[in-house]
Amino acid sequence: MEATVAIENLRVEYRSRELGLATKVAVRGLSLAVGQGEVFGFLGPNGAGKTSTMNVLLGFVPPSAGSARIFGVDVREPIARQRIGYLPEQTYYYKFLTAEELLHFYAGIFQIPPAERGARVDQVLKLVELEHARKRQLKTYSKGMQQRAGLAQALINNPDLLILDEPTSGLDPIGRMKVREIIQRLKNEGKTVFFSSHELGEVETVCDRVAILHQGELKAEGRVADLVAQHAASLEQVFLKLVGYHPHP
């Protein structure tokens, strides 16, 4: 079966705008494959190369070397992105819009036929449990509700692949639980979910497999249970060991 996401020897470089500074390498020779219906956790400390990799998958940044394919199509082809939903770490929406208005706006961007938009908006609002607040302005939403509205936006085109950048960042335990439940529902529908996170407890609960990056390099990949067994440690301890953190006594 063709991998939903296939990354081979990916390298991402950023050239400095200032003279005399070396080129920054954000991702070094990364190879990954994510299968259909998987929930895949993409882990690493700040600056590890996670967002750069996601930006390549989304077509925001071209690969400096190597390749990335989605559904067998090179990510540089626009058609590759038609089946993707994306939630950035920081969401920027017009706060004077209601959730319902926001979703109708994005449905128009995705060229969903007008006759189908109402039903699609109803469907995603139900999935993220915002039906009761659909006519409230986003500025009145809590952080958790705003995040779920962002998830609804990412789902409006009924994508086969969800790319989520820190979907539970800044949420309280109830907010994190609700996002976790949504991810589980998407998995049950056969969707592929690729997300970065610093919340290792969330990752351990919802992910089929994980990859750990450090300074742009892949340090480990596999099922959480296998990594824990291999290192005889918790996922947090495995993560800290692989990124070279040694706690002071």
Side-chain angles (χ1 to χ4, degrees):
M1 183 184 296
E2 182 85 54
T4 298
V5 176
I7 299 170
E8 294 183 10
N9 296 316
L10 180 67
R11 184 178 179 89
V12 181
E13 298 176 355
Y14 297 103
R15 298 195 181 281
S16 172
R17 294 178 182 174
E18 298 179 32
L19 293 176
L21 291 182
T23 298
K24 173 179 171 54
V25 180
V27 182
R28 305 169 187 268
L30 175 65
S31 294
L32 284 177
V34 181
Q36 180 183 346
E38 271 197 300
V39 177
F40 192 91
F42 202 40
L43 314 179
N46 291 333
K50 304 185 304 296
T51 298
S52 292
T53 302
M54 290 182 166
N55 283 342
V56 168
L57 294 177
L58 292 159
F60 298 158
V61 173
S64 304
S67 66
R69 302 174 75 81
I70 292 176
F71 312 112
V73 179
D74 191 294
V75 293
R76 287 169 287 197
E77 298 290 332
I79 192 172
R81 296 191 291 279
Q82 291 177 357
R83 296 164 63 189
I84 298 176
Y86 171 54
L87 177 67
E89 181 176 2
Q90 299 291 335
T91 55
Y92 299 98
Y93 301 129
Y94 293 113
K95 298 295 179 71
F96 58 82
L97 293 177
T98 66
E100 188 175 63
E101 290 168 339
L102 175 78
L103 294 176
H104 274 281
F105 173 72
Y106 276 96
I109 289 176
F110 280 106
Q111 299 182 332
I112 296 172
E116 298 174 17
R117 288 179 195 172
R120 185 64 195 152
V121 168
D122 291 345
Q123 186 178 0
V124 294
L125 283 172
K126 182 176 181 180
L127 177 65
V128 302
E129 298 180 16
L130 284 177
E131 293 168 291
H132 66 287
R134 62 188 297 155
K135 295 192 181 296
R136 280 173 49 189
Q137 290 181 316
L138 296 174
K139 66 183 179 183
T140 70
Y141 279 20
S142 67
K143 167 73 173 170
M145 292 172 71
Q146 288 184 15
Q147 196 74 337
R148 277 155 40 216
L151 271 171
Q153 169 273 132
L155 291 165
I156 194 66
N157 61 321
N158 194 24
D160 296 306
L161 169 65
L162 269 293
I163 296 179
L164 313 176
D165 196 354
E166 299 288 347
T168 59
S169 175
L171 300 187
D172 63 20
I174 293 175
R176 290 201 303 272
M177 177 67 76
K178 285 186 178 293
V179 171
R180 184 194 304 170
E181 290 170 351
I182 292 167
I183 290 174
Q184 186 60 52
R185 283 181 220 144
L186 295 172
K187 175 180 169 61
N188 294 342
E189 291 180 10
K191 309 286 189 189
T192 304
V193 182
F194 183 96
F195 76 98
S196 71
S197 180
H198 289 116
E199 303 284 351
L200 298 184
E202 305 293 320
V203 168
E204 201 159 359
T205 302
V206 304
C207 287
D208 298 303
R209 288 190 304 129
V210 300
I212 299 175
L213 253 63
H214 183 48
Q215 296 179 347
E217 295 183 354
L218 181 65
K219 295 298 183 182
E221 178 193 358
R223 296 178 64 84
V224 173
D226 293 341
L227 291 175
V228 167
Q230 178 185 342
H231 293 270
S234 68
L235 181 61
E236 182 177 55
Q237 290 168 331
V238 172
F239 177 87
L240 293 174
K241 176 182 176 182
L242 291 172
V243 303
Y245 177 79
H246 304 288
H248 297 293

